[in-house]
Structure formats: C-alpha cells, structure tokens
C-alpha cells in the first residue's frame, strides 16, 4: 500500500528540468516596454491632475494640435493670467485663441456641445478622430456627437464668459460670442474679426446659408412699443437685426422704424436677395420689411 502510494506520487511529480505543459515557459520581460507603459500611465495621471478629465481624454489629439494646447493653457490658467495681463487682455486673447481653434480644440476645453450643452463631451474616443470626408465633399455644417471631428457647436453654461462657438460647413467660418454679464458686455467675433462693437447683443445668434451670421441687437429706445421683453429675454421688446456677411466681410444693422414691431426679426435669403421680416411667422406669409442684394453689382 505504501509502495503503491509512493509510486503514484513519484509518477505525478514533474521530472527535474521539465516544463509545465499547460502554462509553458514564462515570457521574457521586455523592460523597455514596461518602462514605456509606466511612463504613459504617469503622463496620463499628470495630465488629468493638471488639465482635468477632459484634457486627459483629448491627450492624443492635443499632441497634434499646438493651437489646442495654447487654448487649453489659457483657459485653465485664467486666474494667474488675468492677474498678469488684466481682465480685458485675458478676454481678448481668449477670443483670439477660440478664433483659431479647431472644433476638437474647443471640445477639449470641456464646454458643452450640440449633444449636451450642460456637460463636456462624453465621446472623446470617437470625436477626437479625424473626420472622413468624401472626395469633393466637406464636413457637415451640423454635427452631433459622437462623431469624428467633434460637434460644430459649443456652449459654456458654467463660467462667467458664457462662451458660444459655432462652425459652418467645412469649418469655413466660425462665430465666437462671449456673452459675459449681459448684452452691454457681450462681445462677438466672426472669423477672428470683432463684430457689433457698441451694440447690445442678444444671447445666441445663428448662421444663415453658411455665410451670414445673424444676431438680434438692442432696438431703438424711442420706439412706441419699446419695453420689457418676455420672461427670459435678454433684450427689450423691440429689437434690431445685425447681419454679418462672412464672405464679403461686411456688417449691416437693420433698425425698425416706429411703425414696425420687430420682436423676433429674421433673415431669409432667396434668389440672391436678403429679406428681413419682423418675426418668423411674418417670413412665411408677409412681405419683407427690408431687402438687399447679397452680391451687389460692381460699381461703374
């Protein structure tokens, strides 16, 4: 009995120098690969600590985008930089950087986007990829994440700057609005050029025909129907309409006369002519209050 048990034990024990057939030999340690992986983890942790979760998620894109790194640095170091250069210069430089940034750079700031204005992009893994554009095509004007190349519209709901950035088709044009403390303090740039200086700007604005940036501005104080706007409105009841032509680099401000009650003026473009209506409903049924050629014939 004891002899049999000993024989079985001896038979079951691995022979000296043999390898476990199930697991095989341990793979050789690649010290260089382990060191690189550890360095990568440390870098991601440092980025997250310094630039937040959004910066860490967009790290691969930012490594390719010097403009995005400049923007992120300016955005995250606001307190120190404002102390250094003053608030006015901080805001001007922020607008300059936003006016040079790609959509993915703006997304990396952690702003809300077309998918959800109240939270940072949740699809950085997809949105940080390069967009696929067919031959002869261009990036769509309205993009809703997650989509390679990121959304085309971004909103800041949480800071005093109240940033609103919108790109047109192919990212050809972009508007940058810093609403800040209200209409009198709001500032607007289109393709990096200040627009509407001295005007009380509404919160928002939109692109028409991928060419005209349109935003409502304060109307005439002496209009007989002037008064408080509806609840939630940023402007008084009667407003004017600013139209900036990004192709011709011109700006028009259309002002209602005392017989025109412009409460929600809009621009419609048809057959080479721009039409201004008092309200969206009027645009569907009534003659326009103003019209203008969008590409005037050359003089002489």
């Amino acid at each position: 009995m004891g002899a049999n048990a000993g024989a079985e034990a001896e038979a079951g024990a691995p022979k000296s120098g043999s390898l476990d057939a199930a697991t095989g030999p341990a793979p050789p340690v690649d010290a260089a690969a382990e060191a690189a992986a550890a360095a990568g983890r440390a870098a991601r942790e440092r980025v997250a600590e310094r630039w937040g979760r959004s910066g860490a998620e967009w790290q691969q894109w930012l490594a390719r985008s010097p403009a995005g790194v400049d923007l992120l640095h300016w955005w995250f170091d606001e307190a120190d930089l404002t102390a250094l250069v003053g608030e006015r210069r901080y805001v001007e430089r922020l607008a300059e950087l936003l006016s040079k940034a790609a959509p993915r750079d703006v997304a990396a700031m952690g702003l809300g986007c077309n998918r959800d204005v109240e939270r940072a992009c949740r699809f950085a893994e997809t949105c940080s990829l390069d967009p696929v554009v067919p031959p002869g095509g261009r990036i769509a004007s309205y993009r809703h994440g997650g989509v390679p190349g990121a959304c085309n519209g971004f909103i800041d709901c949480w800071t005093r700057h109240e940033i609103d950035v919108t790109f047109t088709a192919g990212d050809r044009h972009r508007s940058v609005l810093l609403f800040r403390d209200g209409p009198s303090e709001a500032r607007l740039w289109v393709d990096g050029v200040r627009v509407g200086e001295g005007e009380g700007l509404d919160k928002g604005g939109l692109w028409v025909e991928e060419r005209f940036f349109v935003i409502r501005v304060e109307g005439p104080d002496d209009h007989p129907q002037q008064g408080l706007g509806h609840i939630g409105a940023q402007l008084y009841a009667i407003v004017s309409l600013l139209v900036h032509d990004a192709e011709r680099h011109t700006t028009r401000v259309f002002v209602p006369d005392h017989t025109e009650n412009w409460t929600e003026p809009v621009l419609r473009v048809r057959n080479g002519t721009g039409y201004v209506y008092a309200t969206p409903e009027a645009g569907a049924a009534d003659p326009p209050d103003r019209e203008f050629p969008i590409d005037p014939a050359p003089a002489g």
Side-chain angles (χ1 to χ4, degrees):
M1 182 81 174
N4 289 340
E8 290 174 0
E10 183 178 352
K15 295 182 179 179
S16 176
S18 69
L19 298 176
D20 187 334
T23 60
V29 175
D30 187 336
E34 285 195 349
R41 289 191 297 271
R44 287 190 293 273
E45 290 172 2
R46 185 178 181 86
V47 168
E49 181 180 352
R50 175 66 177 83
W51 305 110
R53 180 180 64 84
S54 182
E57 291 176 342
W58 289 88
Q59 187 175 3
Q60 290 188 346
W61 163 251
L62 291 169
R64 299 164 49 197
S65 176
V69 173
D70 289 345
L71 175 60
L72 201 68
H73 170 65
W74 197 261
W75 180 241
F76 272 80
D77 285 350
E78 177 180 356
D80 291 339
L81 291 167
T82 299
L84 179 64
V85 303
E87 183 172 1
R88 179 175 179 178
R89 180 54 189 152
Y90 177 84
V91 171
E92 290 173 347
R93 180 62 177 157
L94 177 60
E96 290 170 6
L97 292 169
L98 285 166
S99 295
K100 297 175 182 177
R104 284 175 280 187
D105 299 330
V106 184
M109 295 170 64
L111 304 187
C113 60
N114 286 346
R115 184 179 181 90
D116 189 340
V117 299
E118 294 188 346
R119 57 190 299 176
C121 175
R122 291 175 287 164
F123 303 95
E125 183 176 349
T126 298
C127 294
S128 62
L129 300 175
D130 293 335
V132 178
V133 182
R138 59 182 180 177
I139 304 172
S141 58
Y142 182 80
R143 302 192 297 276
H144 184 280
V147 57
C151 293
N152 75 301
F154 301 91
I155 297 286
D156 162 29
C157 293
W158 306 111
T159 80
R160 62 196 180 95
H161 299 295
E162 298 186 72
I163 299 168
D164 186 331
V165 181
T166 305
F167 294 83
T168 65
D171 300 338
R172 178 178 174 83
H173 302 296
R174 104 267 309 277
S175 57
V176 175
L177 176 67
L178 275 62
F179 192 68
R180 292 174 61 77
D181 297 321
S184 63
E185 296 295 325
R187 303 178 188 182
L188 172 66
W189 290 260
V190 177
D191 294 341
V193 176
R194 183 80 182 272
V195 173
E197 275 191 271
E199 301 287 348
L201 303 174
D202 198 3
K203 190 173 186 178
L206 71 155
W207 285 94
V208 175
E209 300 291 320
E210 310 290 345
R211 170 176 170 177
F212 301 95
F213 185 76
V214 180
I215 187 170
R216 294 162 189 162
V217 300
E218 292 283 13
D221 292 336
D222 60 351
H223 193 284
Q225 299 300 317
Q226 192 60 281
L228 294 177
H230 60 78
I231 295 176
Q234 302 294 333
L235 303 177
Y236 284 104
I238 302 299
V239 297
S240 301
L241 193 68
L242 182 151
V243 178
H244 180 80
D245 185 342
E247 297 291 332
R248 301 182 66 87
H249 312 291
T250 58
T251 304
R252 296 178 171 93
V253 178
F254 297 96
V255 181
D257 66 30
H258 286 187
T259 66
E260 297 169 329
N261 294 335
W262 291 9
T263 55
E264 298 179 86
V266 295
L267 173 70
R268 300 283 187 260
V269 176
R270 296 189 297 272
N271 302 320
T273 301
Y275 300 96
V276 177
Y277 296 90
T279 65
E281 294 74 19
D286 300 333
D289 287 343
R290 301 285 190 282
E291 61 181 79
F292 61 95
I294 63 174
D295 291 306

